[in-house]
Each structure stands twice: as structure tokens, then as C-alpha cells.
Amino acid sequence: MTRFDTVVTGGTLVIPHVGEVRGDVGVRDGRIVTLADDLSRADADVRVDASGKVVLPGAVDSHFHLGIYNDLATDTETETTSSLVGGVTSVISYFRTGQHYLNRTGPYREIFPEVLATVAGRAKVDYAFHLAPMTAEHIGEIPWLVDEMGVTSFKYYMFYKGFNLASSSADAKSYTMSENYDLGHLFEIMEAVAAAQAERPGKRLSVSLHCEQAELMRVFIERAKKDPTVSGLAEYSAGRPPLTERLAIEEAGVLADATKVNLNLLHLSSQVALETAVELAARYPGMDVNREVTLHHLALDHETLDARGGLGGKVNPPIRTKRDNEALWEGVRRGWVGTVASDHACCMEAEKGGHGATEVWPAQPGFGGTALLYPVMLSEGVHKRGIPLTRVAELVSAKPAQTFGLFGRKGTIAVGADADLAVVDMDLEQVVTTELCQSAQDHCPFEGETVKGWPVTTLVRGVPVYENGKVAADSPGQYLKRG
Amino acid sequence: MTRFDTVVTGGTLVIPHVGEVRGDVGVRDGRIVTLADDLSRADADVRVDASGKVVLPGAVDSHFHLGIYNDLATDTETETTSSLVGGVTSVISYFRTGQHYLNRTGPYREIFPEVLATVAGRAKVDYAFHLAPMTAEHIGEIPWLVDEMGVTSFKYYMFYKGFNLASSSADAKSYTMSENYDLGHLFEIMEAVAAAQAERPGKRLSVSLHCEQAELMRVFIERAKKDPTVSGLAEYSAGRPPLTERLAIEEAGVLADATKVNLNLLHLSSQVALETAVELAARYPGMDVNREVTLHHLALDHETLDARGGLGGKVNPPIRTKRDNEALWEGVRRGWVGTVASDHACCMEAEKGGHGATEVWPAQPGFGGTALLYPVMLSEGVHKRGIPLTRVAELVSAKPAQTFGLFGRKGTIAVGADADLAVVDMDLEQVVTTELCQSAQDHCPFEGETVKGWPVTTLVRGVPVYENGKVAADSPGQYLKRG
Amino acid sequence: MTRFDTVVTGGTLVIPHVGEVRGDVGVRDGRIVTLADDLSRADADVRVDASGKVVLPGAVDSHFHLGIYNDLATDTETETTSSLVGGVTSVISYFRTGQHYLNRTGPYREIFPEVLATVAGRAKVDYAFHLAPMTAEHIGEIPWLVDEMGVTSFKYYMFYKGFNLASSSADAKSYTMSENYDLGHLFEIMEAVAAAQAERPGKRLSVSLHCEQAELMRVFIERAKKDPTVSGLAEYSAGRPPLTERLAIEEAGVLADATKVNLNLLHLSSQVALETAVELAARYPGMDVNREVTLHHLALDHETLDARGGLGGKVNPPIRTKRDNEALWEGVRRGWVGTVASDHACCMEAEKGGHGATEVWPAQPGFGGTALLYPVMLSEGVHKRGIPLTRVAELVSAKPAQTFGLFGRKGTIAVGADADLAVVDMDLEQVVTTELCQSAQDHCPFEGETVKGWPVTTLVRGVPVYENGKVAADSPGQYLKRG
Amino acid sequence: MTRFDTVVTGGTLVIPHVGEVRGDVGVRDGRIVTLADDLSRADADVRVDASGKVVLPGAVDSHFHLGIYNDLATDTETETTSSLVGGVTSVISYFRTGQHYLNRTGPYREIFPEVLATVAGRAKVDYAFHLAPMTAEHIGEIPWLVDEMGVTSFKYYMFYKGFNLASSSADAKSYTMSENYDLGHLFEIMEAVAAAQAERPGKRLSVSLHCEQAELMRVFIERAKKDPTVSGLAEYSAGRPPLTERLAIEEAGVLADATKVNLNLLHLSSQVALETAVELAARYPGMDVNREVTLHHLALDHETLDARGGLGGKVNPPIRTKRDNEALWEGVRRGWVGTVASDHACCMEAEKGGHGATEVWPAQPGFGGTALLYPVMLSEGVHKRGIPLTRVAELVSAKPAQTFGLFGRKGTIAVGADADLAVVDMDLEQVVTTELCQSAQDHCPFEGETVKGWPVTTLVRGVPVYENGKVAADSPGQYLKRG
């Protein structure tokens, strides 16, 4: 008789692009081997009772920053722990040379194996990396990275041309540790990725873009700093207004059309940015563009955060207005948004000038959110705005997996797929606290928000590593070669 | 121990939007109850060995014409038999009042129950109906049709304003048996469907359009008739050139934008038509437009057919050129095509003037193709052009089901879904003959084509009603209420 | 020493595309032979003192309907008299077969010479004709009309497909006396004009369109008639709403792009219509489109007219709202409007059901406005909205002349040009009355409007045929062969 | 009896936007006081016989570089002499701080009066200046420059962000002598010009752009330098390909739309550049964009020049291909090109590495062309391609005058306008030589071209300063305050 390592029974399966299905899941050797109407009496070592719950594919948090501010090894442990809280079972983290991260430069042939070695055995969830070709040498490494290392997505930061990460310094060269980090460099990345793509038709290779235009930012930052009527996160948004996103997106669009590369437009923060990105696709009908938004650009606004005080919510691009929140939700509704991610970066309050700091420019940007990926999408999306559950699963699981070469293994609930599952109690309501997120981060911009719909069990390859707030001791996360 | 009515074992499941998965299928009471890595030893009444085969979701042939030229009862039996050959397990057939079909007019409250009664118990596959509101009275019946009869899609024939079906007569009024069958009528249909949609947010209600503009057709038909250099299907295409499609699509686009209705643009036959339809969506970013192409517009060209002789290939819109075939395949590749259907209409050679007829204008248009839906898509799409299998399953099964309100039950392979499956031998190569199609039709425009990739078993709700060319005696098809 | 027949001295010349210039004009044999800083002491038979006045090129009223409701001979006399009041020195009148006008059909080879013979010797101003090819035979006459008769513009009435002029009858065939008066016919006109154009590169041949879509009109007219909340001109506008213009313009755009013909979009009445026409040009960058608006769509709104009562203001397309007025003025400001004309049609109150009539559908559409062409443009455009004088001269004189093949002779103030001049007192303010317009028409929709800026002298080919309200006895108007 | 200083008799006047008119011109005090059919017997001090000739408005060469490489005083004398040969009677020269020109920086309040003092009394033709705000201080001077100095157009050089003029150095800062010469700076210029415009509705204030994107240039220059298969002007074009223009134009378009400023897109050199500029206008319907092309981008191609040898033809943007030439002429024909200018910069062969030099990168860009402005446009445009004479007069005279605030005084032939005239023998054919151009420049890229249609007399404010190759000794040129 059939034997399973784990069965998940009694729940409603939310299968991306398929729908909500009453079904049980049987797991063996980390993979789903059976989907069935009733496995309640099946022979299994571990039984997860999902009665009255929904069973979602584990989220693929495709925008993550392991080790950006903290020791990479430690960050991997603490922050992927936080992921489990949010039903996240895979993260795709950014890595680059230059300041922050390992604070050095050099070829990825040298550095990337070190990164993998450091991370190995420490992650609670599976993980992959997007890499940023910072130098000409890196561009030359792209085919090797694709074929040997399983890296299929390459990032360019449009504002590093003129600023460091906090935009507290315009000495971009020492920040990137690179010679010519500009649109010419981007063009060469795009050409290289498009050329690699042409020879590997079965994969989706792509260029991911942080779209804020540095030269315009300079002007608006100068103005914001001089303007006595703005402060805090409002000042930060004024210094990097949506027009800087719009210009950056248009620049990227011209180059992508010229090179015929696949694009991911990351963390579109504003109505203007999203609309520009949509117009781009309409203008260039053959262009493959994924549009990403983050949890915080959907759910937070600077008016509310500034009223609470503190600079915890400083992030790039900045938190915008309630109006932008709604425009992004409308984009979700219309299918204009492809993926939703957390852009998780564990950034302690000390990095932001300490508790009660008010000077926004020196503060470091970024914060954690992976613990809230499913909860906020379910609460704000499904409960408040009527977005279908299946659509949420597509936004945070299936589409990120498809976009970044993990689909099949990740991103769905199917026989043969990894048994990455989030068992969610749609009725569980909790107020967000720093502790609840289980990150190393000592503050949380979402703190105080009432959120309804939380994972009660998160399974990574069939193992329930998170149950009712408890995280298992071991770190089963494996590196995901993509393609 | 688990018992199944049927198991399908050893095959590769092709799950739309999920991918190709090695898996077995367990069926009980017509539904899939288990998907598993191995059911070879499961207890089952019927076992289908799919080893070395692919198992596709049964095709949903969403463009069909039961009873248009023949007795509805008979047509239902013979033509859904033909569907089984092509791996089709559901058909959505058009019905309307006016000439052809039942050759009468009257309210659908009266006529549609008759239609359902006639068809009941005779179909080999499940079936639903699109209805065409021909009169003002019909428009008033839309909410009833949606709520009570499960009809969610409503057709308008743009060229009936000026012509009968064969375009052999311009007495459009006696053909439609309607007062004002024009763009004003279309506007009123669109308004009514949009209003019904607004009150039923969970459903997709839509207007389906046959896009050929009658007033332009008049001019080109006159010219084609006078032109001694064209004859046969080339003459027919010259008389209804792509410009007539383009104008019709643009007209429809304005009205759809004004009313905010969901659109299905049917059987786009030419590069011009497809490009116009794509531009439309780019111009009106919020518009929900499904673009359909047929098997014959993908696979047949008038030069080849005219060289073979005969008028069997007369159809609306006309068969175009090889160049148009390739443009439509390119549209498939780019994701511009939503659904592929057969536009099956059993039309005997006698309707076309008899064997060897040469006068194209009096001939009736249309022919069967449902028997070739999967085979031609697999042969021309997968084998010849490298279209992924999963994409083919989306085009003929998942997307038609989604577009027309059947998804979940139909259009996928999932626990809980109807066990409608096509077990396909991807290596089986056969030359198309009239006999092989098992339709009542006495000719076949695809005759002589070598096609690779054929269903060997077709299961309707778990029952293998078609096996290796043999069709079961009973007619299990049921009416599908949609929504 | 130089001798002139006439000199106009002391004024400011308003020269289209050149500007306002202090200068005197010397005329001999009907033509301007001298423009000079000072001809005050020149030898001349006739002296016109323009001191303190502006001297504009006589307006070319390019939308006119001589003889549509009244005897052509009489209409010519009375209505071109009215033109002189408005500073109009040339009219381009529409003529067609079918009901109204001569109320017959037949080839233009036969009928058009009759028209010219009837008009000859009766017009107070120079005149030309646009012709409407109503039948296939007429289309064949286009080259002859261009080359022999000097007709370069050809009209199609998009709503005659479904309605007569008043939209009181849907028996379009007896109205047009034509077989196939539809978009197919329009396509054939466009092809013929484009073909003629290709062989005559020095000329601008064009198709002029009345853009209202008949099939939509049917629906809205039925609704307006049933709607108890609207009446009068508001009801008329509701029955032919801007959407009917939009659809008609889009239809025309597709056909014009397909045939590559030059277009004139006549009397765009609404914001929607103007914006659609602007988008059309943006979509098809090579397309030559002139956008015309009328005086009454700029200056009248149905709310005001309905408050006054009466159906005098019924016209096609209908009078719209104040908001549309301002959108059209904004179009003037942005350069989106090419030409402004009166669409003058002398339509007695009896034609509209008599004084105090309230039934809008049986009333005939149209009214006179030529007497107000310069006055209203100067008053509403220059005085109220700051439109430059030169721009007004371009809109009503230069651009109509360029668009319709009269420029050089007409439309400017230059040596060699016909001495057609309007000497205008920019400070003269008068309240519009029926009498003041000097038309045969017994009412006036502009009645009661205070208008500032009136011609005090109008010269046709150097002869002051209108001075301070007095019209000369003779009728010097000549037929203008165009090209 | 009327007395004139000068009369020009017997010619055909070419009046922009009016047409070709047989007429004589009477001049008094530098202005046209009479245009008449016959002044042959008028009393005049100077008589110019234009029988059999055409009389064009003196060209307004709106793209000029006085003193860029040579002493400003000397350059003014020699290069405006060359202008007379080409029928040019006004030049609008660029001036900026930074390297070249006066090789210094500082406020325009200080420097611009010096420039005017240096030039005063030395020019053979009237002159104005476009200024480039290189520093934040300059942006603050815009209102003063407009109101007090009559400067209405402000230039930004998009490639100075990364390169010096020759693109031989990437030390852009020492070249511009400016802090932040980037798109942020451009945005601030645009804002300032738009703000100044809003308060001065009667004027056209505008931003002029040299559109080549520096960051892309870097990449292509590196590649071109390494590519052994290209050299000379072909290498230069490869190093600054049309894609750099396209990206720059798109960047500028976003900023212009955001600020609502009027744009002049200078010297569009390629089909790609022109088409991008046309699409921009279609995308932003309210945007006021003038598109300029130069004589050399219309008439020269790098294949021909490289075959002749030498680097005389190095210029920014580079000379392109014959195919681009024809695309630009097609743009002229369609009305997409607003103005044509010479981009005259007297650049001695020594600046380009000496005779026979082959290293393209160190060579200075630019060369003279003002002497050929009318000749080449008449020869290549009118004679070879059938462009109407009037259109040529619009491109080089009327439209530059309108665009840059000189119209009325300059750019037309009208009573009251300056009597700046070019009397042209349309049949005179000459082979271009360096001597014939009468510039100080010791070579000429147009050398050897046979050109038909040359000025025989050029009059500046009524004085024939150039006759049959002889230039008058005095320098009547005056500074033109614009607005």
C-alpha cells in the first residue's frame, strides 16, 4: 500500500492558473507524489491537518537581499526564518559586488562560489540568486553564470550612476567599485543577456531593473533638502519622485527594444511608474516585460508612516501615497502587475540613525517584509479588495517562479513539484509586531497593522518547518540552480 | 483501500499553465480524484495504459455549429463522434434564429429549450451553446439566459448586415429574420451584456464577433466576380479581403470601449486581422479581448486548396495565404492568440454545388475540423514549429474553458475536474482522410495532409468513449451550464 | 504715373501666415497690384479709407449649401448677399443629386452644367462647388470633374446610409436615389480620388466627410424619442450623440489609411469628435487630414437655445454643450482645427415646423451663418479668447483656400491675388438680428448675441460691393475652377 | 511721386506660405515699403534687375557657430561673408561658456555683453544668439536674457555629459566648466524656460537640443575604435550611431512633457532620429516640437566622403548614409522637417589633424555650409526632388524666423519687413569649391558637387551687399533682439 512521508489533508488547494480545489497532498522524498480527494486514511509519517484551511503553494519571494547590511551567514539564518512566517519557501536574493554585501569587487567566478559556500546549510528555505554585472568582466561571465551556476536573471540599478544606496553620497564610483556604471553598461548587459538567450531558447533569461533616474534625483534631492515644508519619508519621496521612475523606465524601454532582451521592472512604486510600464508594453508589442510591485508599495503610505514617526520605512524607491497604493491594487486587478515580492532587507534601526532619528538622508534604506508576504496579500488583497485567492498565489508564487526559471519545481501544487506549501488560516487575525515577524530586524514598518489570513504551517519540501509560530531547528534550504 | 472507476497510468500529463508532469490519473464518478506518481497497482475497473503517451486535457472546441446545415439531432450524433477523434471532449456550439439551423425566428425562451431537448442524449461529448441575439427581444432575454440557462457568451455576425451566409444573397433581412441587424443592434447587445456583467462580477460574460464588414465585402465581391484572373477559393478570399476584417474589428473596438464589454474576436484569418486586434488591445489597455484563430486558418491556404480543386474549403472568413498561416503561428508564439477552435460545421459536398463544382459564390461555407483539433495543433505546432505541448493544451482546452465559463470542470487536469482526457501518441503519423475523421461530412479540406500526433484514447468524464479509432455506442454528453 | 482702380488706405493688413502689417492696397483689374506703406496720394477711381480698421482677406466660406431648400437661382442671390455682411468673398457650396437641391438624380455631366448655368450671374461673391458622388456613375466622373470642371473635393454623408437629412425617415434609398450608399461606396470614392490624386501631384484632391454613424443613430434616436426628460435641441443631440461621430471618424480613418486619400473631416461638433480626429492623425502619421469646425458648434449650445425656444437651431451634427464649445476653442488654440466655416443653409422657419414648433424630428436641419463668419470669430475668438487676428484669417480664409485649391487667387493679401478684402471695424459692436444678416432666412439662431468686430466694407475683386450695411446691386460673383 | 532707395524688379517673388508671385519690391530705409506688379519705372537710387530670376526672402541660418574655433571678431567677418554667398541674411549663432569659444566660464550678464561688443560692426548679415545655460547661475539669468537681451532660445548639449566636442576626451567637467551638466540640469533649464514662457504668452521661448546620448556613445566609440573594419567618417558614425540619437530624443521627450516646454530637436541626422522625433509628437499631442535638419545631413554621406579621403566631414552628429539622406528628404516632403540650417562652424583643416589626416577621434568636428544653404536646397530639393520653391523658403527662412522670434522682420517678403532678399538664378550651375564659398575655411566637404541655383545678388536691409560673387566692403549686420 502507498506510503507517504507527509500528507496534508482536509484543505482547499489553491493551484495557480487552475483554481481552488478540495484536495489532499501526499509527499514522498520532498516531492508531491499524490493529489487526491481523500488521503485521510493514507499511511504517512507526518500528518498535517488542513481542515478548514487553504493550502497555497509556498511563496517564491523573488526580491530579497541576504547579507546586504549584516553578515551573510547570520542574515541567511535569521531572515529565511522570517520567510517561513510569511509562507515563503523559496527566496531569490540579489547579490552584487561593490559597497555593502561583501564590500569588495572582483569576478563572480571567484566571489559567487564563496557566497554559495557561506550560505550553504544555513537557509530555512530554498534559495537562488540574481546577480548584478557591475563591471565589464562580469558581463563576460554571463554565459558561465547561466550554464554552470544556474543564474538566469541579471540586475542593473539605474540610480547607482549617480548615488550610493542611501543617496547620501554622489560618489557613485566608489560605491559600485566600477568604471562605467551607466546606460552604456546597461546596454552591454542587455546585449549579452539577449545573446545568451538566443542560444538558450528553452530558458527565460532576463534583465531586472531598479528604475530611478539618478540625474533627475540629484535635482529633486537638492530641492527636498532645502524645502522646509517636507521631512521624513515625505521628504524622501519628494527627493525621488515618480518622474524619476518614469524617465528611467522610458530609457530602459528604448534599450530593451534595441536589444530585444526580456525585462523585469522591479518595485514599481507609483501610479506613474506602473502606467509608464504598461504603455511601454503597448508601444513595443513583442516585448516580454514583467512588472513587479512590492508589498510595502501596495500597503504603506508615507503620510501614515510619518505620523507614526521614525525612518524605518525609508526604502528605494520611496514609500508613496495612499493614492499610489490604490493605483497599484488596480494594476493587480487588471493583470498589469506580474509579481509581488517583499524586497526584504534586514536593516536595523541603528542603520537608520537609531530610534527616533529624523534625518532621512543619512539613513540606510530598506527593511524586512518576507514574513508578511502571504498575510498582507491575503488581508489587503483577498479580504479587503476581493482579489481571488488563486490570483494571489499566482502573484507571489507561480509568476515569480515562471519569470525566474523555477516553475514546475516551485510555484505550483502538482505531482512532481517540490512539496512547498503554506497552510493558511484565512480567518486568523493578528496585529503585526516586530516579534511576530521573527526577523533579526529590531523594528517593523508594518507594526500595528491588523492583518487577517496567516500561515499556520509552512512546509519546505514536505517538512513542516514552521508550525503555529514555531520554527524547526534545522536549516533544510538548498541552492536552486535555475533555467 | 482506494478504488477507482478508471485509472490512466504511465503517461506524461500535460497540465495547462503547469507543465508536463509524469503522473497517473485516478477517476471516480466521472471526476479526477487522484493524481499520483504511480497508480499502476491501484484497484480500478478500467485501466488505460498511457505508457509512452501524453495525456492532455480533453479539448474544448469552442467554435462549433451543430445543426447548421443538417438535422440538429443527427448532426449532434455524427459530429460529436468526430470530436472524439480529435481529442475533443466538450464543444460549445453556436445557435441562432433566422435561416439555417431551425430556419425560424422567435424568442429563445421558446426555442432554446427545444434545442436542448433535441440534443439531449445524442451527444458523444459534453456541450454548451453560444447564442446570437438576433432581435431586440433576444437582447431582453440575456439576463435570463445567463442565470437560468447558463449561457454566458453572445454572438454578433458583422457581415449579416449585408449578406446571407454564403454571400450569395444580399437580402440580409430574410436571412436574419430580424429588423435592424446592424452596429446599432450590436451596441445594444454590448450594453446589455456589460450591464449583466456588472451585476455578476464572478462570471465572464462576453460578446463574440464574426469580424467581416458587409459594406466593403459588397464592393470586393462585385470586383472578384468580374475579375477573370481569380477563381475558386482565391476568388472568395479576394471578395472578402483582410481589409473587411480590419474595418470590422476597428468598429467593434470603438463600441466595446464605449460599453466596456468583454470581447471575443473570432476566427481572425489574416495577418492584418490579427495585428489589428493586437493594436486594439494596446490602444484600450483595460479591454478584455480574447483572440481566436481556427485550425484551418493556421493550416490551410487557398493556393494549395485551389490546386487540389473543389470548393470544400469555402469558409467564412476565407482561407488566406501561406504568409497569413505563418503570421498566425507567429501570433501563437507571441501569445497574441488566446484560443484555437475548429469552427466545425458539417457541410456536405452537395451544399457546395457537388463534387467538382467551380462556382464559389452559391456554395455554402464551412466544413468540419473537430477531428483534427489536437492532431493538427500537435503536428503543425509542436512537431514542426516547436510550440510547447503545454501551450497547445492552453490554446485548445484551458483558455477556451476560461473564456467561456467552464474552467475548473473542464480545461485542466486537476483533482475535482471532470476526467476529460486525450491520451495521445505523439509519434503516430496518419494521412488525413474523410473516413478517418468519422464525421458525416463526405469530403475533407485537410484530406491528404500527413499529420503526426493523434489521440489513441479519448475519455469523457472517465469513460474511454474512443479507443484506437473505435467509438463507443452510447452518447454520454451532457449539457454544460456555464458561469 | 501708377493708376489704380481702387485703393484701400490707412488700414492694418492681416496677412495669413505673415502677420499684421501696416499697409495700403492698390487694385487694378480685380487683382492686387500693389501693397505699399502709403498709397494715400495715389491716383485711384475708388478710395476706401481703412484708417483705424483692419483689412482681412475675404473669407472663403468653404461649407455652404446653395439651393438645398430653396430655388437655387434665388438662393444664390439672397444667400451670397448675406455672405458679404460677414466679410465672405467666396463660397464653396455643396451640391448633390437625390432629394433636396434639384430633387433628382443623373450624371453630373448632365446636371452640373445646369447648376452652373442657373447660378451664373446671380452670385454676389465668387463661388465653387464640392460635389457628392452619390452613384457608381458619379465616381467614374471624378477625373472629368477635376480636369474639366475644376472640382477637387468630393463629399460623402456617412449618415445617409440610414436616414434622410432630417432623420425623419429611414428610407435612405429614396433620399439618396442611389443603389449602395454605404462604406463600400465611400471606399470606392476614396480609391477613385486617390487614383486621380496620384496622377495630379500639383493639386490637393480630397474627400470630405460628414461623420455621423447611421446605425448607432438609429438606436439613440429611438431612445431619445422615448425619453420624456429630453426635448428640443437637447433631444436632437441625445439622438445623435458624439459616439456616432467617433465611430464614423474611426471607420473613415481605416478606409483613408487603406486608400491613402486626403481627408476633410467636416463640422466636428464635440470634444469627442475633435479628439478622435486628432488621435487619427497621430495614429497614421502620413495622413493628410483637415479638421473643420463650424461657427455654430463654436458659439452655440443647446441649453441656451432651448431656453430661448424654437427649433431654428436644429442642424447636423447637432448643437452640443458649452463644454464642447470650449473644447473646440481649445482645439483652435492648439492648431487642431484647420478650417472654420458657416455650413450656411437657408432654412425657413416653415421648414422647421413653423414658429414655436416643438417637434424636433420632422423639422429640417440647418440654418444660415455666413453673415457672421468674421464677426463671430473676431468677437468670440479674438476679443474674448485672445486668438490672434492672423490665426482667424488663416482659419476662415487661407486654410480653406489651401485645402480646396483656391490659394494664391484667394485666401491671402498678396500682389497678384484677387482683391477680395474685408475691411473690419474691430470696435463695432452690434446685436445680431435676422435683418442684420441680410439672408432670406426668416429667423436666426444667433439672434440676440452681442458681437464685436464687423466688416464695414467688403470688396470682391476690388469692388466694394458691401459698405456699411448696403449691398451693391450687381452680382459680380464668378465660378472658380479649382486645382 | 514715390521714391525708393532700392527697387528689385522683374523677378518672381517667393513668399513663404503664400506662393510664387510676379512682383517688384520697393525698399526705403531698409524695409520693404512696396510690393507691386511693376516698379520698373519707379524712382530709385539702386535698381536690381531680377528679370528671369526668383526673389527669395533672405535665409535665416538658425544654426551657426561664430567664434567656436577662431577669434570671434575675425570669424564674424569672414563667416558672415560666406553667408551672403548662400543667400543668408541673418544668422542665429550659438554661444556658450566652457572650452572653445571664449574658453572660460562666468555669468552671461558679464560675458554676453562682451560677446555683443566684439561682434558689433563686424557682421555682414544681421545676427542673433542662442545661449546655452551651462551652470545653475545661467538658468537664473534666463528671464533677464529674454527680457533685456532678446534671447529666446536656450540650448542643451546632451552628449557633453560624457564627452568633449571632439569626443576625444571624457573629461566632460573641464570641457563644460560646469558642475552638474546632466539631465537634471536639462530638467531645470526646461522648467525655467517653461516658467518664463508662461509669463510671456506672446513669445515662443524654447529649448534646443543636441540629441546624442553620451553613455551609449561611450560604448559604441570604444567598439568603433577597436573595430579594424571601419575607419574615417564611417568609424565616426559607428561610434555615435542613430540609437544614441533615439535614446536622447526619448529622454528629452519625457522631460519636455513633464515641464511643458517648447522643443527644438537640432540636426536630426538619421532616419531613426527623425522617426523617433515624429513619434514623440504623436505621443504627446500638445507638444510644440520643431525638427531641424542640416544641409549636410541631407546632402552628404560618409561612403562618398570617405572615398574622397580626409576628415573635413567630421561633424556632430556624424554624417550618415545615402539611405538616411533620402529618409530626411522624405521627411521634408511630408512636412516632418521644420527648419533646415547649415550648422556652420569654420574649422580649419589643421584642427582636423591637417590635410590627409586619418585619425578621426582627435579631429575637431564641424565645418562651414552657410554659403550653400539656398544653393544646395534649390539644387537637391527643388531641381532634383521637386520640392516647391515656396517650401524651401519656408524651411530656411520663414520657419527659422518663426521658431526663433524673428518673424515679421525676417523670414518673409512683406510690406514692413526688412528688405532681406536673395535674388537667385535658378539655372546657374557651379561646381562647389572652397574659394567659391568665401569662408576662411581652407577646405569644404561639399567640394566637387555640382550645384544648380545660386544667389546672384543678396540684399541685407535693401543694400545689395553681395553681387555676382563680389562682397561689399562694409559690414551692415546688426544685432537682433528677439521676442
Side-chain angles (χ1 to χ4, degrees), chain D residues 143-264:
Chain D
W144 171 79
L145 286 166
V146 172
D147 293 337
E148 302 301 318
M149 305 309 284
V151 173
T152 60
S153 47
F154 301 91
K155 184 171 183 179
Y156 178 78
Y157 302 77
M158 295 186 81
F159 79 93
Y160 283 5
K161 184 167 77 179
F163 289 97
N164 71 347
L165 186 58
S167 46
S168 58
S169 156
D171 182 1
K173 269 200 186 169
S174 41
Y175 192 74
T176 59
M177 302 183 191
S178 166
E179 199 53 37
N180 291 300
Y181 199 77
D182 62 7
L183 293 183
H185 185 69
L186 173 57
F187 178 78
E188 297 205 291
I189 294 172
M190 285 181 168
E191 266 196 340
V193 172
Q197 173 73 83
E199 293 172 357
R200 294 159 185 85
K203 300 183 175 183
R204 183 184 188 265
L205 306 185
S206 58
V207 170
S208 295
L209 290 164
H210 181 131
C211 296
E212 295 183 279
Q213 216 277 354
E215 301 164 50
L216 279 186
M217 277 172 54
R218 180 183 59 71
V219 168
F220 288 104
I221 288 174
E222 281 167 15
R223 292 180 185 185
K225 285 180 175 174
K226 282 182 201 151
D227 182 351
T229 70
V230 290
S231 65
L233 302 181
E235 180 180 346
Y236 199 60
S237 179
R240 313 171 70 131
L243 182 62
T244 67
E245 295 185 275
R246 177 181 165 198
L247 179 56
I249 292 166
E250 296 274 6
E251 289 177 330
V254 171
L255 299 184
D257 181 57
T259 55
K260 306 298 173 203
V261 81
N262 303 321
L263 274 195
N264 312 305

